[in-house]
Amino acid sequence: MKKIISGLLTLFFLPLFSIAQDHPTKFYYPNGQVKGEGNLDSLNHFDGAWTFYHDNGAKKSGGTYLHGKANGCWFFWSPQGNLTSYGWYKSDKLDST
């Protein structure tokens, strides 16, 4: 009986967990270069670590999102690959540099 109940609970809850998981995604420029890559949450908000690129392929920015809002330390680079700035974000607002 325990195995039957356990199996039924697994069948019921497993799809809920698979729907709620983040999924990796990439966005592209018209020239085929990757524009950004990271995870989207179940509501298609940016979530977790994200990296964005200039259209020449050089890294443009990188940081972390929490349910669609920038959080934590973000770094920004020039198209030539030089670090130009960084700052700390809380709920999508610059908190300090």
Side-chain angles (χ1 to χ4, degrees), residues 4-43:
I4 293 172
I5 292 172
S6 177
L8 290 174
L9 289 175
T10 301
L11 288 173
F12 178 75
F13 285 108
L14 188 59
L16 296 177
F17 289 116
S18 64
I19 292 170
Q21 292 180 353
D22 288 356
H23 54 281
T25 192
K26 288 184 181 182
F27 297 102
Y28 296 89
Y29 285 105
N31 67 6
Q33 290 282 7
V34 175
K35 187 174 191 174
E37 59 186 344
N39 289 312
L40 297 175
D41 65 15
S42 60
L43 299 174

Side-chain angles (χ1 to χ4, degrees), residues 35-56:
K35 187 174 191 174
E37 59 186 344
N39 289 312
L40 297 175
D41 65 15
S42 60
L43 299 174
N44 283 330
H45 295 140
F46 291 3
D47 201 46
W50 271 83
T51 304
F52 296 94
Y53 302 92
H54 293 282
D55 60 0
N56 67 359

Side-chain angles (χ1 to χ4, degrees), residues 22-95:
D22 288 356
H23 54 281
T25 192
K26 288 184 181 182
F27 297 102
Y28 296 89
Y29 285 105
N31 67 6
Q33 290 282 7
V34 175
K35 187 174 191 174
E37 59 186 344
N39 289 312
L40 297 175
D41 65 15
S42 60
L43 299 174
N44 283 330
H45 295 140
F46 291 3
D47 201 46
W50 271 83
T51 304
F52 296 94
Y53 302 92
H54 293 282
D55 60 0
N56 67 359
K59 195 180 287 188
K60 183 176 186 177
S61 62
T64 304
Y65 282 98
L66 182 61
H67 304 298
K69 295 185 178 185
N71 275 286
C73 192
W74 276 76
F75 295 92
F76 301 90
W77 291 270
S78 70
Q80 295 75 33
N82 301 315
L83 182 65
T84 57
S85 66
Y86 64 92
W88 289 89
Y89 286 78
K90 283 186 180 177
S91 293
D92 229 19
K93 296 186 188 321
L94 184 61
D95 188 50

